[in-house]
Amino acid sequence: MKRLSHLLILLMTPLFGQAGEKDLYDFLWLDPDKKVYVLQNKIYPKDKSFYLDLGYISNISSNFEDVNGASFRAGYYFHEEWAVEFQHNKYSSKTNSTYESVKIVNDAEPFIRRPLDITSLFIVWSPFYGKINTFNKIYYFDWSFGLGYGQMNAESNLDSVRNPGSPNTFDTETYNPIQLKTNLKFHINRNFHIGAEVLNTNFQAGSPKFPDRKEWKQHNDFVLTLGVSF
């Protein structure tokens, strides 16, 4: 009996040991039309690889302005799950209908602080990867998280809104934010990918009520990216 068990293991080992990405298994206890594809190997490894991404930014936390921008980032995976990343975001802003409504109703300028650009260095952790089967085509993805620190240039009308009689003016401000983000990267092939990211930027700044008190503020961006890996 023991020899028979050893023989069965030896016979089965080549079948499962050589199973690759395209292997297909038919299970007798499933319906006859059910087939199971097995993911065994990582198709797009990241260790010792570089990547470059270009992105479109949409700010999702600004109340009185529509804030959009462009993002550039370059990164290097020194480990399969860990990377260092340089990121630069450039923003443009314009007032929206909410701003016009508040100005008309209150006959006063609302307080606005808007980003100009942010340059950051991130440590990126990518613990999850998987695949999605859509319309009989398999798409592979990575899910990562990042922690960053950098320099943020912004401008606000903090001084002018505190003096209602003065004209509305914006002054430049500089902060050192702490940033958190999460990213889904879908692989088109070995060299090209698209991504979706939520970026949270936290910094300490004053407000019209407490201009000299540094309180934690934040703004959030949604970023769509197109990139290359090599």
Side-chain angles (χ1 to χ4, degrees):
M1 189 65 180
K2 185 178 296 184
R3 291 183 178 179
L4 180 60
S5 300
H6 290 169
L7 180 61
L8 289 174
I9 293 174
L10 290 174
L11 290 175
M12 294 172 65
T13 299
L15 295 176
F16 291 96
Q18 297 176 5
E21 192 63 29
K22 297 181 180 179
D23 286 289
L24 174 66
Y25 296 95
D26 293 315
F27 291 92
L28 298 180
W29 57 85
L30 296 176
D31 294 337
D33 60 340
K34 294 295 178 62
K35 298 178 180 180
V36 178
Y37 289 88
V38 179
L39 174 66
Q40 289 191 319
N41 298 321
K42 198 167 189 178
I43 297 301
Y44 302 113
K46 300 184 294 296
D47 189 23
K48 304 298 188 298
S49 67
F50 293 88
Y51 61 91
L52 299 172
D53 290 348
L54 293 177
Y56 169 77
I57 303 172
S58 178
N59 186 273
I60 54 179
S61 59
S62 179
N63 294 322
F64 303 112
E65 293 196 326
D66 294 328
V67 181
N68 301 300
S71 175
F72 168 78
R73 59 178 172 233
Y76 174 68
Y77 273 96
F78 58 89
H79 182 272
E80 184 61 34
E81 294 184 358
W82 294 94
V84 289
E85 178 182 288
F86 167 84
Q87 183 168 348
H88 180 74
N89 293 347
K90 184 72 174 180
Y91 298 87
S92 63
S93 308
K94 63 179 181 179
T95 56
N96 56 26
S97 58
T98 304
Y99 166 86
E100 299 296 339
S101 299
V102 170
K103 186 176 180 180
I104 292 173
V105 172
N106 296 333
D107 193 26
E109 291 284 346
F111 171 62
I112 295 175
R113 175 176 283 118
R114 56 197 182 200
L116 298 176
D117 60 76
I118 305 176
T119 302
S120 308
L121 188 65
F122 281 88
I123 183 72
V124 178
W125 179 43
S126 302
F128 305 115
Y129 71 94
K131 66 177 182 178
I132 297 176
N133 189 350
T134 305
F135 301 112
N136 292 324
K137 184 172 179 59
I138 297 176
Y139 296 93
Y140 299 88
F141 66 90
D142 290 291
W143 184 10
S144 65
F145 305 88
L147 173 65
Y149 180 80
Q151 178 174 297
M152 171 183 176
N153 295 315
E155 60 182 11
S156 79
N157 58 353
L158 177 62
D159 290 337
S160 62
V161 296
R162 295 173 59 222
N163 300 286
S166 63
N168 187 44
T169 58
F170 285 83
D171 298 316
T172 302
E173 304 168 342
T174 300
Y175 305 102
N176 294 113
I178 296 174
Q179 294 179 283
L180 304 170
K181 66 178 181 177
T182 183
N183 179 284
L184 277 176
K185 182 184 295 184
F186 293 87
H187 298 275
I188 300 174
N189 54 40
R190 187 169 296 277
N191 298 112
F192 294 94
H193 54 263
I194 59 175
E197 177 176 285
V198 175
L199 175 63
N200 171 250
T201 301
N202 303 272
F203 58 97
Q204 289 184 303
S207 64
K209 187 176 182 180
F210 303 107
D212 298 324
R213 181 189 300 177
K214 301 300 182 182
E215 300 175 331
W216 282 105
K217 312 293 183 183
Q218 65 173 293
H219 77 259
N220 300 296
D221 297 323
F222 179 71
V223 189
L224 293 175
T225 61
L226 175 64
V228 295
S229 301
F230 51 94

Short mmCIF file of all heavy atoms in Angstrom, two decimals, residues 162-217:
data_model
loop_
_atom_site.label_atom_id
_atom_site.label_comp_id
_atom_site.label_asym_id
_atom_site.label_seq_id
_atom_site.Cartn_x
_atom_site.Cartn_y
_atom_site.Cartn_z
N ARG A 162 -9.64 88.08 5.61
CA ARG A 162 -9.71 88.56 6.99
C ARG A 162 -9.90 90.08 7.03
O ARG A 162 -10.18 90.63 8.09
CB ARG A 162 -8.46 88.15 7.75
CG ARG A 162 -8.31 86.63 7.92
CD ARG A 162 -6.97 86.27 8.52
NE ARG A 162 -6.80 86.89 9.82
CZ ARG A 162 -5.66 87.46 10.22
NH1 ARG A 162 -4.62 87.52 9.41
NH2 ARG A 162 -5.59 88.01 11.43
N ASN A 163 -9.76 90.73 5.90
CA ASN A 163 -9.96 92.18 5.80
C ASN A 163 -10.96 92.44 4.68
O ASN A 163 -10.56 92.62 3.52
CB ASN A 163 -8.64 92.89 5.52
CG ASN A 163 -7.61 92.64 6.61
OD1 ASN A 163 -7.70 93.18 7.71
ND2 ASN A 163 -6.64 91.78 6.31
N PRO A 164 -12.25 92.42 4.98
CA PRO A 164 -13.30 92.50 3.95
C PRO A 164 -13.17 93.70 3.04
O PRO A 164 -13.58 93.66 1.88
CB PRO A 164 -14.59 92.56 4.77
CG PRO A 164 -14.25 91.93 6.08
CD PRO A 164 -12.82 92.28 6.33
N GLY A 165 -12.57 94.78 3.49
CA GLY A 165 -12.47 95.96 2.65
C GLY A 165 -11.36 95.90 1.63
O GLY A 165 -11.34 96.72 0.69
N SER A 166 -10.44 94.95 1.75
CA SER A 166 -9.30 94.86 0.85
C SER A 166 -9.65 94.01 -0.37
O SER A 166 -10.52 93.14 -0.31
CB SER A 166 -8.10 94.28 1.58
OG SER A 166 -8.37 92.95 2.00
N PRO A 167 -8.97 94.22 -1.50
CA PRO A 167 -9.22 93.39 -2.69
C PRO A 167 -8.78 91.94 -2.46
O PRO A 167 -7.89 91.67 -1.65
CB PRO A 167 -8.38 94.06 -3.78
CG PRO A 167 -7.32 94.80 -3.03
CD PRO A 167 -7.95 95.26 -1.75
N ASN A 168 -9.42 91.03 -3.18
CA ASN A 168 -9.12 89.61 -3.03
C ASN A 168 -7.79 89.29 -3.71
O ASN A 168 -7.64 89.42 -4.92
CB ASN A 168 -10.24 88.77 -3.64
CG ASN A 168 -10.05 87.29 -3.36
OD1 ASN A 168 -9.72 86.90 -2.24
ND2 ASN A 168 -10.28 86.46 -4.37
N THR A 169 -6.80 88.89 -2.93
CA THR A 169 -5.48 88.56 -3.45
C THR A 169 -5.03 87.21 -2.89
O THR A 169 -5.46 86.79 -1.81
CB THR A 169 -4.45 89.63 -3.06
OG1 THR A 169 -4.40 89.74 -1.62
CG2 THR A 169 -4.81 90.97 -3.68
N PHE A 170 -4.15 86.56 -3.64
CA PHE A 170 -3.62 85.26 -3.24
C PHE A 170 -2.12 85.37 -2.98
O PHE A 170 -1.39 85.96 -3.79
CB PHE A 170 -3.89 84.22 -4.33
CG PHE A 170 -5.32 83.76 -4.39
CD1 PHE A 170 -6.28 84.50 -5.06
CD2 PHE A 170 -5.71 82.59 -3.75
CE1 PHE A 170 -7.59 84.09 -5.12
CE2 PHE A 170 -7.03 82.16 -3.80
CZ PHE A 170 -7.97 82.91 -4.48
N ASP A 171 -1.69 84.78 -1.88
CA ASP A 171 -0.28 84.75 -1.52
C ASP A 171 0.23 83.32 -1.57
O ASP A 171 -0.47 82.36 -1.21
CB ASP A 171 -0.07 85.31 -0.11
CG ASP A 171 -0.51 86.77 0.00
OD1 ASP A 171 -0.19 87.55 -0.92
OD2 ASP A 171 -1.20 87.11 0.99
N THR A 172 1.49 83.18 -1.97
CA THR A 172 2.10 81.86 -2.09
C THR A 172 2.46 81.30 -0.71
O THR A 172 2.93 82.04 0.17
CB THR A 172 3.36 81.93 -2.96
OG1 THR A 172 3.01 82.45 -4.25
CG2 THR A 172 3.97 80.55 -3.14
N GLU A 173 2.24 79.99 -0.53
CA GLU A 173 2.55 79.30 0.72
C GLU A 173 3.32 78.02 0.39
O GLU A 173 3.16 77.44 -0.68
CB GLU A 173 1.27 78.94 1.47
CG GLU A 173 0.36 80.13 1.75
CD GLU A 173 -1.02 79.72 2.24
OE1 GLU A 173 -1.40 78.54 2.04
OE2 GLU A 173 -1.71 80.57 2.82
N THR A 174 4.14 77.59 1.33
CA THR A 174 4.93 76.37 1.15
C THR A 174 4.76 75.47 2.37
O THR A 174 4.85 75.95 3.51
CB THR A 174 6.42 76.70 0.95
OG1 THR A 174 6.58 77.52 -0.21
CG2 THR A 174 7.22 75.41 0.74
N TYR A 175 4.53 74.19 2.11
CA TYR A 175 4.32 73.22 3.19
C TYR A 175 5.12 71.95 2.90
O TYR A 175 5.57 71.73 1.77
CB TYR A 175 2.84 72.86 3.31
CG TYR A 175 1.94 74.05 3.51
CD1 TYR A 175 1.21 74.57 2.45
CD2 TYR A 175 1.83 74.66 4.76
CE1 TYR A 175 0.38 75.67 2.62
CE2 TYR A 175 1.01 75.76 4.94
CZ TYR A 175 0.29 76.27 3.87
OH TYR A 175 -0.51 77.36 4.04
N ASN A 176 5.29 71.15 3.94
CA ASN A 176 5.91 69.83 3.80
C ASN A 176 4.88 68.77 4.17
O ASN A 176 4.73 68.41 5.35
CB ASN A 176 7.14 69.71 4.71
CG ASN A 176 8.25 70.65 4.28
OD1 ASN A 176 8.59 71.60 4.99
ND2 ASN A 176 8.83 70.42 3.13
N PRO A 177 4.14 68.26 3.20
CA PRO A 177 3.04 67.35 3.50
C PRO A 177 3.48 65.90 3.71
O PRO A 177 4.54 65.47 3.24
CB PRO A 177 2.18 67.45 2.23
CG PRO A 177 3.18 67.70 1.14
CD PRO A 177 4.25 68.56 1.76
N ILE A 178 2.64 65.20 4.43
CA ILE A 178 2.73 63.74 4.52
C ILE A 178 1.62 63.19 3.63
O ILE A 178 0.46 63.60 3.74
CB ILE A 178 2.55 63.26 5.97
CG1 ILE A 178 3.70 63.78 6.84
CG2 ILE A 178 2.49 61.73 6.03
CD1 ILE A 178 3.54 63.47 8.31
N GLN A 179 1.97 62.25 2.75
CA GLN A 179 1.01 61.76 1.76
C GLN A 179 0.80 60.26 1.90
O GLN A 179 1.74 59.50 2.15
CB GLN A 179 1.48 62.09 0.35
CG GLN A 179 1.52 63.59 0.07
CD GLN A 179 2.01 63.89 -1.33
OE1 GLN A 179 3.20 63.82 -1.61
NE2 GLN A 179 1.09 64.23 -2.22
N LEU A 180 -0.45 59.86 1.71
CA LEU A 180 -0.84 58.46 1.69
C LEU A 180 -1.55 58.19 0.37
O LEU A 180 -2.28 59.05 -0.14
CB LEU A 180 -1.78 58.13 2.85
CG LEU A 180 -1.27 58.45 4.26
CD1 LEU A 180 -2.40 58.30 5.27
CD2 LEU A 180 -0.10 57.55 4.63
N LYS A 181 -1.35 57.00 -0.18
CA LYS A 181 -2.04 56.69 -1.43
C LYS A 181 -2.23 55.19 -1.58
O LYS A 181 -1.54 54.38 -0.95
CB LYS A 181 -1.28 57.24 -2.63
CG LYS A 181 0.07 56.60 -2.91
CD LYS A 181 0.65 57.24 -4.16
CE LYS A 181 2.00 56.66 -4.54
NZ LYS A 181 2.51 57.25 -5.79
N THR A 182 -3.19 54.85 -2.43
CA THR A 182 -3.40 53.46 -2.83
C THR A 182 -3.61 53.44 -4.33
O THR A 182 -4.20 54.37 -4.90
CB THR A 182 -4.59 52.82 -2.09
OG1 THR A 182 -4.70 51.44 -2.46
CG2 THR A 182 -5.89 53.54 -2.40
N ASN A 183 -3.09 52.41 -4.98
CA ASN A 183 -3.04 52.37 -6.44
C ASN A 183 -3.38 50.98 -6.96
O ASN A 183 -2.92 49.98 -6.41
CB ASN A 183 -1.64 52.78 -6.91
CG ASN A 183 -1.48 52.76 -8.42
OD1 ASN A 183 -1.36 51.70 -9.02
ND2 ASN A 183 -1.47 53.93 -9.02
N LEU A 184 -4.20 50.95 -8.01
CA LEU A 184 -4.46 49.71 -8.76
C LEU A 184 -3.82 49.85 -10.12
O LEU A 184 -4.11 50.80 -10.86
CB LEU A 184 -5.96 49.46 -8.90
CG LEU A 184 -6.68 48.80 -7.74
CD1 LEU A 184 -8.18 48.72 -8.02
CD2 LEU A 184 -6.13 47.39 -7.47
N LYS A 185 -2.94 48.93 -10.47
CA LYS A 185 -2.23 48.97 -11.74
C LYS A 185 -2.60 47.74 -12.57
O LYS A 185 -2.37 46.60 -12.14
CB LYS A 185 -0.73 49.00 -11.51
CG LYS A 185 0.11 49.08 -12.77
CD LYS A 185 1.61 49.03 -12.45
CE LYS A 185 2.05 50.23 -11.66
NZ LYS A 185 3.52 50.23 -11.43
N PHE A 186 -3.21 47.97 -13.74
CA PHE A 186 -3.63 46.88 -14.62
C PHE A 186 -2.62 46.76 -15.77
O PHE A 186 -2.34 47.75 -16.45
CB PHE A 186 -5.02 47.15 -15.18
CG PHE A 186 -6.11 47.10 -14.14
CD1 PHE A 186 -6.44 48.23 -13.41
CD2 PHE A 186 -6.78 45.92 -13.87
CE1 PHE A 186 -7.43 48.20 -12.44
CE2 PHE A 186 -7.77 45.87 -12.90
CZ PHE A 186 -8.09 47.00 -12.19
N HIS A 187 -2.13 45.55 -15.98
CA HIS A 187 -1.11 45.31 -16.99
C HIS A 187 -1.76 45.04 -18.35
O HIS A 187 -2.54 44.09 -18.50
CB HIS A 187 -0.23 44.13 -16.60
CG HIS A 187 0.52 44.36 -15.32
ND1 HIS A 187 1.73 45.03 -15.27
CD2 HIS A 187 0.22 44.03 -14.04
CE1 HIS A 187 2.15 45.09 -14.03
NE2 HIS A 187 1.26 44.49 -13.26
N ILE A 188 -1.43 45.88 -19.32
CA ILE A 188 -1.86 45.63 -20.71
C ILE A 188 -1.01 44.52 -21.30
O ILE A 188 -1.51 43.60 -21.94
CB ILE A 188 -1.75 46.92 -21.54
CG1 ILE A 188 -2.64 48.01 -20.92
CG2 ILE A 188 -2.15 46.65 -22.98
CD1 ILE A 188 -2.48 49.36 -21.59
N ASN A 189 0.29 44.61 -21.10
CA ASN A 189 1.24 43.56 -21.45
C ASN A 189 2.45 43.74 -20.55
O ASN A 189 2.39 44.44 -19.54
CB ASN A 189 1.60 43.59 -22.95
CG ASN A 189 2.11 44.95 -23.39
OD1 ASN A 189 2.86 45.62 -22.67
ND2 ASN A 189 1.68 45.38 -24.56
N ARG A 190 3.56 43.13 -20.89
CA ARG A 190 4.72 43.15 -20.02
C ARG A 190 5.29 44.56 -19.83
O ARG A 190 5.91 44.85 -18.81
CB ARG A 190 5.80 42.21 -20.56
CG ARG A 190 6.99 42.01 -19.63
CD ARG A 190 7.86 40.89 -20.11
NE ARG A 190 7.16 39.63 -20.09
CZ ARG A 190 7.02 38.84 -19.01
NH1 ARG A 190 7.55 39.23 -17.86
NH2 ARG A 190 6.38 37.71 -19.08
N ASN A 191 5.11 45.43 -20.80
CA ASN A 191 5.74 46.75 -20.75
C ASN A 191 4.78 47.92 -20.52
O ASN A 191 5.22 49.01 -20.13
CB ASN A 191 6.52 47.01 -22.05
CG ASN A 191 7.65 46.03 -22.26
OD1 ASN A 191 7.62 45.20 -23.17
ND2 ASN A 191 8.64 46.07 -21.40
N PHE A 192 3.49 47.73 -20.74
CA PHE A 192 2.55 48.84 -20.62
C PHE A 192 1.48 48.52 -19.58
O PHE A 192 1.04 47.37 -19.44
CB PHE A 192 1.88 49.13 -21.97
CG PHE A 192 2.84 49.65 -23.00
CD1 PHE A 192 3.45 48.78 -23.90
CD2 PHE A 192 3.14 51.01 -23.08
CE1 PHE A 192 4.35 49.25 -24.84
CE2 PHE A 192 4.03 51.48 -24.03
CZ PHE A 192 4.64 50.61 -24.91
N HIS A 193 1.04 49.57 -18.88
CA HIS A 193 0.01 49.41 -17.86
C HIS A 193 -0.79 50.69 -17.73
O HIS A 193 -0.36 51.77 -18.12
CB HIS A 193 0.62 49.04 -16.51
CG HIS A 193 1.69 49.99 -16.05
ND1 HIS A 193 3.03 49.75 -16.22
CD2 HIS A 193 1.62 51.20 -15.41
CE1 HIS A 193 3.73 50.75 -15.74
NE2 HIS A 193 2.89 51.65 -15.23
N ILE A 194 -1.99 50.56 -17.19
CA ILE A 194 -2.82 51.69 -16.83
C ILE A 194 -3.12 51.58 -15.34
O ILE A 194 -3.04 50.50 -14.75
CB ILE A 194 -4.14 51.74 -17.64
CG1 ILE A 194 -4.95 50.47 -17.43
CG2 ILE A 194 -3.86 51.97 -19.11
CD1 ILE A 194 -6.32 50.50 -18.11
N GLY A 195 -3.45 52.71 -14.72
CA GLY A 195 -3.66 52.68 -13.28
C GLY A 195 -4.69 53.68 -12.81
O GLY A 195 -5.05 54.63 -13.52
N ALA A 196 -5.18 53.46 -11.60
CA ALA A 196 -6.10 54.37 -10.92
C ALA A 196 -5.61 54.51 -9.49
O ALA A 196 -5.32 53.51 -8.82
CB ALA A 196 -7.52 53.83 -10.95
N GLU A 197 -5.52 55.76 -9.03
CA GLU A 197 -4.92 56.02 -7.73
C GLU A 197 -5.72 57.06 -6.95
O GLU A 197 -6.26 58.00 -7.53
CB GLU A 197 -3.48 56.54 -7.94
CG GLU A 197 -2.75 56.92 -6.67
CD GLU A 197 -1.31 57.32 -6.95
OE1 GLU A 197 -0.49 56.42 -7.21
OE2 GLU A 197 -1.02 58.54 -6.93
N VAL A 198 -5.79 56.87 -5.64
CA VAL A 198 -6.34 57.87 -4.73
C VAL A 198 -5.19 58.37 -3.87
O VAL A 198 -4.50 57.58 -3.20
CB VAL A 198 -7.46 57.30 -3.85
CG1 VAL A 198 -7.92 58.33 -2.83
CG2 VAL A 198 -8.64 56.84 -4.71
N LEU A 199 -4.95 59.69 -3.90
CA LEU A 199 -3.82 60.31 -3.21
C LEU A 199 -4.34 61.28 -2.16
O LEU A 199 -5.11 62.19 -2.46
CB LEU A 199 -2.95 61.05 -4.23
CG LEU A 199 -1.78 61.87 -3.67
CD1 LEU A 199 -0.77 60.98 -2.97
CD2 LEU A 199 -1.11 62.65 -4.80
N ASN A 200 -3.92 61.07 -0.92
CA ASN A 200 -4.32 61.90 0.22
C ASN A 200 -3.12 62.71 0.70
O ASN A 200 -2.08 62.14 1.04
CB ASN A 200 -4.86 61.02 1.35
CG ASN A 200 -5.09 61.78 2.63
OD1 ASN A 200 -4.36 61.58 3.60
ND2 ASN A 200 -6.07 62.65 2.66
N THR A 201 -3.24 64.05 0.70
CA THR A 201 -2.15 64.95 1.09
C THR A 201 -2.53 65.68 2.38
O THR A 201 -3.57 66.34 2.44
CB THR A 201 -1.88 65.96 -0.03
OG1 THR A 201 -1.52 65.27 -1.23
CG2 THR A 201 -0.73 66.89 0.36
N ASN A 202 -1.68 65.56 3.40
CA ASN A 202 -1.93 66.16 4.71
C ASN A 202 -0.84 67.18 5.03
O ASN A 202 0.35 66.88 4.90
CB ASN A 202 -1.96 65.08 5.79
CG ASN A 202 -3.00 64.00 5.50
OD1 ASN A 202 -4.15 64.12 5.88
ND2 ASN A 202 -2.59 62.93 4.82
N PHE A 203 -1.25 68.37 5.47
CA PHE A 203 -0.29 69.42 5.80
C PHE A 203 -0.86 70.30 6.90
O PHE A 203 -2.07 70.30 7.16
CB PHE A 203 0.03 70.26 4.55
CG PHE A 203 -1.18 70.91 3.93
CD1 PHE A 203 -1.50 72.22 4.20
CD2 PHE A 203 -2.00 70.19 3.05
CE1 PHE A 203 -2.62 72.82 3.63
CE2 PHE A 203 -3.12 70.78 2.47
CZ PHE A 203 -3.43 72.09 2.77
N GLN A 204 0.00 71.06 7.55
CA GLN A 204 -0.41 71.94 8.64
C GLN A 204 -0.41 73.38 8.16
O GLN A 204 0.58 73.88 7.63
CB GLN A 204 0.54 71.79 9.83
CG GLN A 204 0.38 70.46 10.56
CD GLN A 204 1.25 70.39 11.80
OE1 GLN A 204 2.46 70.55 11.72
NE2 GLN A 204 0.62 70.15 12.94
N ALA A 205 -1.55 74.07 8.37
CA ALA A 205 -1.71 75.45 7.89
C ALA A 205 -2.71 76.19 8.75
O ALA A 205 -3.49 75.59 9.49
CB ALA A 205 -2.15 75.45 6.43
N GLY A 206 -2.70 77.52 8.62
CA GLY A 206 -3.64 78.35 9.34
C GLY A 206 -4.96 78.47 8.60
O GLY A 206 -5.11 78.04 7.46
N SER A 207 -5.95 79.10 9.27
CA SER A 207 -7.29 79.30 8.70
C SER A 207 -7.73 80.73 9.02
O SER A 207 -7.12 81.40 9.86
CB SER A 207 -8.27 78.29 9.29
OG SER A 207 -8.41 78.49 10.69
N PRO A 208 -8.79 81.24 8.37
CA PRO A 208 -9.25 82.60 8.68
C PRO A 208 -9.60 82.79 10.15
O PRO A 208 -9.39 83.87 10.72
CB PRO A 208 -10.48 82.75 7.78
CG PRO A 208 -10.22 81.85 6.64
CD PRO A 208 -9.51 80.66 7.22
N LYS A 209 -10.13 81.77 10.80
CA LYS A 209 -10.50 81.88 12.21
C LYS A 209 -9.27 81.86 13.11
O LYS A 209 -9.20 82.61 14.10
CB LYS A 209 -11.46 80.76 12.59
CG LYS A 209 -12.03 80.88 13.99
CD LYS A 209 -13.06 79.79 14.26
CE LYS A 209 -13.66 79.96 15.66
NZ LYS A 209 -14.68 78.90 15.93
N PHE A 210 -8.30 81.01 12.79
CA PHE A 210 -7.07 80.89 13.57
C PHE A 210 -5.88 80.97 12.62
O PHE A 210 -5.26 79.93 12.31
CB PHE A 210 -7.05 79.59 14.38
CG PHE A 210 -8.21 79.40 15.30
CD1 PHE A 210 -9.21 78.48 14.99
CD2 PHE A 210 -8.30 80.14 16.48
CE1 PHE A 210 -10.28 78.31 15.85
CE2 PHE A 210 -9.38 79.96 17.34
CZ PHE A 210 -10.37 79.05 17.02
N PRO A 211 -5.53 82.16 12.15
CA PRO A 211 -4.48 82.27 11.13
C PRO A 211 -3.10 81.87 11.63
O PRO A 211 -2.25 81.44 10.83
CB PRO A 211 -4.52 83.76 10.75
CG PRO A 211 -5.14 84.44 11.94
CD PRO A 211 -6.12 83.46 12.49
N ASP A 212 -2.86 82.00 12.91
CA ASP A 212 -1.53 81.68 13.45
C ASP A 212 -1.45 80.29 14.06
O ASP A 212 -0.39 79.89 14.55
CB ASP A 212 -1.15 82.72 14.51
CG ASP A 212 -1.06 84.12 13.93
OD1 ASP A 212 -0.61 84.24 12.77
OD2 ASP A 212 -1.46 85.08 14.62
N ARG A 213 -2.55 79.56 14.05
CA ARG A 213 -2.56 78.21 14.61
C ARG A 213 -2.42 77.20 13.46
O ARG A 213 -3.21 77.19 12.52
CB ARG A 213 -3.84 77.94 15.37
CG ARG A 213 -3.91 76.54 15.99
CD ARG A 213 -5.28 76.23 16.55
NE ARG A 213 -5.66 77.19 17.60
CZ ARG A 213 -6.84 77.15 18.20
NH1 ARG A 213 -7.75 76.25 17.84
NH2 ARG A 213 -7.11 78.04 19.14
N LYS A 214 -1.42 76.33 13.56
CA LYS A 214 -1.20 75.32 12.53
C LYS A 214 -2.06 74.09 12.82
O LYS A 214 -1.86 73.39 13.81
CB LYS A 214 0.28 74.92 12.49
CG LYS A 214 1.23 76.08 12.20
CD LYS A 214 0.92 76.73 10.85
CE LYS A 214 1.91 77.86 10.55
NZ LYS A 214 1.60 78.52 9.27
N GLU A 215 -3.03 73.88 11.96
CA GLU A 215 -3.93 72.73 12.08
C GLU A 215 -3.77 71.84 10.86
O GLU A 215 -3.43 72.30 9.76
CB GLU A 215 -5.37 73.20 12.21
CG GLU A 215 -5.63 74.08 13.44
CD GLU A 215 -7.05 74.61 13.46
OE1 GLU A 215 -7.64 74.78 12.38
OE2 GLU A 215 -7.57 74.85 14.57
N TRP A 216 -4.08 70.56 11.04
CA TRP A 216 -3.95 69.62 9.93
C TRP A 216 -5.06 69.85 8.90
O TRP A 216 -6.23 69.89 9.24
CB TRP A 216 -4.01 68.18 10.44
CG TRP A 216 -2.72 67.73 11.06
CD1 TRP A 216 -2.45 67.58 12.39
CD2 TRP A 216 -1.51 67.39 10.37
NE1 TRP A 216 -1.16 67.16 12.57
CE2 TRP A 216 -0.56 67.03 11.36
CE3 TRP A 216 -1.14 67.33 9.02
CZ2 TRP A 216 0.74 66.63 11.02
CZ3 TRP A 216 0.15 66.94 8.69
CH2 TRP A 216 1.07 66.59 9.68
N LYS A 217 -4.65 70.04 7.67
CA LYS A 217 -5.55 70.16 6.54
C LYS A 217 -5.24 69.03 5.57
O LYS A 217 -4.20 68.38 5.64
CB LYS A 217 -5.38 71.51 5.84
CG LYS A 217 -5.35 72.72 6.76
CD LYS A 217 -6.68 72.95 7.44
CE LYS A 217 -6.63 74.21 8.30
NZ LYS A 217 -7.91 74.43 9.03
#
